[in-house]
Every structure is written in structure tokens, then in C-alpha cells.
């Protein structure tokens, strides 16, 4: 064998050795990206709960639908401004009182309610139970008011995407125990569940609407819809 042949064989052997060595080294693996699961309806309700609880104040309107005409006293609608700490409300309630519909200027503060009834020149202090209406300040309590309903909803699921004015909202649907509803609104069959639809503004996750349907005045099925906006804007409520 010539020197040239021996050199070629040696070179070939070296190449095989290097190739085998390089094959033993693991190739660099691309980093694994774990995509988190999409937010659930419960996740969005938790976000909305925190946003509303931290708002401090809101503008609130409430409208009833399919209300029975044979009932003596109930809320038809309400509109005003409120704070959460302390829970307080100032605005106007439209109600049926002893069979008569009236617009009632209302102030609720420190667990006290003042109303200006028709043909009465000034606000008078009264008990919500005497009028058959809820304390509007109770709706704004940061733990047991409308905020609390977000944690009481049962079997929440995503509903439709809708619009409230110019805003896109994601609906979350479910049910509320009757006792929770009656404790808050002073009306309803405590033994019956109520259907609820929360309208949550996409991106900010503000609660824009709360629609509750059920046996508020059995056997009639009625609906109350609450709309909240102006989160965190200055509100002052004083006793009249």
C-alpha cells in the first residue's frame, strides 16, 4: 500500500470518527411555548367584580319590564348617582305607591332613606319597608350589593356578544338564588331561582348591565335591568 493510500484511509477514518462524535451531540431544541387557556366566564366575572368594587362611585339606572298592574307598590324605574363607601344614593325613583305612580326624589345614606312624596314640600325620612321598595343605597354596597351578585351567579357561561350604545359587551349568563335577589331588591319569590345576564364591557371589563328575570311578583315573570356607567366620577350625597 502506498503512502498516498494510507493517508486517504486515515483521513476517511478520521471523518467517520468525527461524524460519529457529532451525531452523539443533541441538536438544539426550539423553546416550547405554552399557550395559556382562554379566560373562562368565571375569570371574566372575577375581573368585573374587582373593577366594580374599586370604582368608588357610579351612575345607575334601573328599569322594570312586564310588571303586574295589580300590584300595589313596586319600583318602576330609578336613576341617580351613588357611592360605595359609604353606600349612598341620590336621584329619582319612579314607583307605584298605594296604586298611584309617582316620581319620588330620593336620598339614601347611613342606612336612612329620605323621599319627597307627591304634595309634600320637603324630603321626609321613611322606612323602605313601609313603601314596599328597596333601599337604593343597598344596591351600591361593595360587598352585598350588585357587586356581590357577580360572586353569587350559578353555572355561569358566556352568552352573546352585544352592543350597549357604542360599546361592545360580552354577556355572561347564569342563575341567581331567589334569596339573594329578594334580600337585595325586597321583592321576589325567595324559593325560586332568577335568570341573570351580565353585560361586561370588553377590554375594561366594567359591568355595564345587569338583567334579572324571574318571579318578582308571582305568578308574573318580570325583569329588572340595571345599567351602570360613569365609574369613579365624583359624587357627593348629603342628607336633605
Amino acid at each position: 500500500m502506498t503512502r498516498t493510500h494510507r493517508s486517504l484511509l486515515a483521513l476517511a477514518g478520521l471523518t467517520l470518527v468525527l461524524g460519529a462524535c457529532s451525531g452523539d451531540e443533541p441538536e438544539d431544541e426550539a423553546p416550547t411555548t405554552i399557550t395559556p387557556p382562554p379566560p373562562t366566564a368565571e375569570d371574566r366575572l372575577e375581573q368585573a367584580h374587582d373593577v366594580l368594587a374599586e370604582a368608588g362611585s357610579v351612575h345607575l339606572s334601573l328599569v322594570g319590564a312586564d310588571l303586574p298592574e295589580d300590584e300595589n307598590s313596586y319600583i318602576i324605574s330609578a336613576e341617580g348617582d351613588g357611592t360605595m363607601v359609604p353606600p349612598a344614593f341620590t336621584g329619582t325613583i319612579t314607583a307605584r305607591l298605594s296604586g298611584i305612580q309617582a316620581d319620588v326624589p330620593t336620598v339614601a345614606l347611613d342606612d336612612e332613606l329620605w323621599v319627597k312624596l307627591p304634595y309634600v314640600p320637603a324630603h321626609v325620612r321613611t322606612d323602605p319597608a313601609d313603601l314596599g321598595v328597596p333601599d337604593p343605597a343597598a344596591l351600591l354596597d361593595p360587598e352585598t350589593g350588585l357587586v356581590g351578585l357577580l360572586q353569587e351567579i350559578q353555572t355561569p357561561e358566556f352568552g352573546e356578544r352585544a352592543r350597549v350604545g357604542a360599546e361592545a359587551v360580552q354577556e355572561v349568563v347564569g342563575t341567581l338564588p331567589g334569596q339573594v335577589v329578594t334580600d337585595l331588591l325586597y321583592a321576589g319569590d325567595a324559593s325560586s331561582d332568577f335568570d341573570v345576564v351580565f353585560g361586561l364591557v370588553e377590554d375594561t371589563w366594567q359591568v355595564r348591565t345587569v338583567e334579572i328575570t324571574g318571579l318578582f311578583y308571582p305568578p308574573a315573570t318580570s325583569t329588572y335591568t340595571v345599567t351602570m356607567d360613569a365609574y369613579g366620577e365624583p359624587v357627593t350625597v348629603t342628607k336633605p
Side-chain angles (χ1 to χ4, degrees):
M1 182 180 295
T2 66
R3 180 179 300 178
T4 301
H5 288 161
R6 288 196 297 270
S7 299
L8 289 173
L9 288 174
L11 180 61
L14 179 60
T15 301
L16 289 173
V17 171
L18 291 176
C21 292
S22 63
D24 292 339
E25 296 178 1
E27 295 182 3
D28 292 338
E29 296 183 0
T32 301
T33 301
I34 300 176
T35 303
T40 64
E42 291 91 338
D43 294 334
R44 292 309 190 197
L45 288 173
E46 184 177 349
Q47 284 181 277
H49 172 275
D50 294 344
V51 171
L52 181 55
E54 295 169 5
S57 64
V58 294
H59 177 80
L60 178 151
S61 67
L62 177 148
V63 177
D66 300 322
L67 302 172
E69 295 184 0
D70 56 351
E71 281 291 324
N72 226 11
S73 300
Y74 56 80
I75 295 289
I76 298 171
S77 63
E79 184 156 5
D81 300 294
T83 61
M84 297 177 181
V85 182
F89 173 86
T90 179
T92 299
I93 294 176
T94 300
R96 189 176 179 89
L97 304 172
S98 300
I100 300 173
Q101 182 172 325
D103 294 332
V104 183
T106 303
V107 175
L109 178 65
D110 295 336
D111 296 322
E112 297 180 344
L113 181 67
W114 289 269
V115 295
K116 190 174 181 181
L117 297 170
Y119 312 113
V120 177
H123 285 80
V124 295
R125 184 178 170 186
T126 187
D127 188 328
D130 293 339
L131 296 178
V133 299
D135 179 354
L139 298 176
L140 296 157
D141 189 287
E143 295 182 1
T144 60
L146 292 167
V147 175
L149 296 185
L150 292 157
Q151 298 178 318
E152 295 289 347
I153 186 173
Q154 299 175 338
T155 61
E157 297 179 352
F158 285 124
E160 297 179 356
R161 293 180 72 245
R163 297 199 74 82
V164 177
E167 295 177 314
V169 300
Q170 171 65 64
E171 294 182 349
V172 175
V173 302
T175 60
L176 292 170
Q179 191 65 60
V180 171
V181 174
T182 58
D183 287 348
L184 182 62
L185 297 178
Y186 292 12
D189 180 359
S191 65
S192 175
D193 286 345
F194 287 72
D195 295 327
V196 64
V197 181
F198 291 101
L200 311 181
V201 179
E202 295 180 347
D203 298 329
T204 65
W205 302 109
Q206 291 183 356
V207 181
R208 186 62 72 239
T209 57
V210 183
E211 181 182 284
I212 306 173
T213 300
L215 299 177
F216 283 103
Y217 310 101
T221 298
S222 305
T223 298
Y224 279 109
T225 301
V226 181
T227 302
M228 292 178 286
D229 55 18
Y231 277 47
E233 293 189 7
V235 173
T236 301
V237 181
T238 57
K239 297 180 181 181

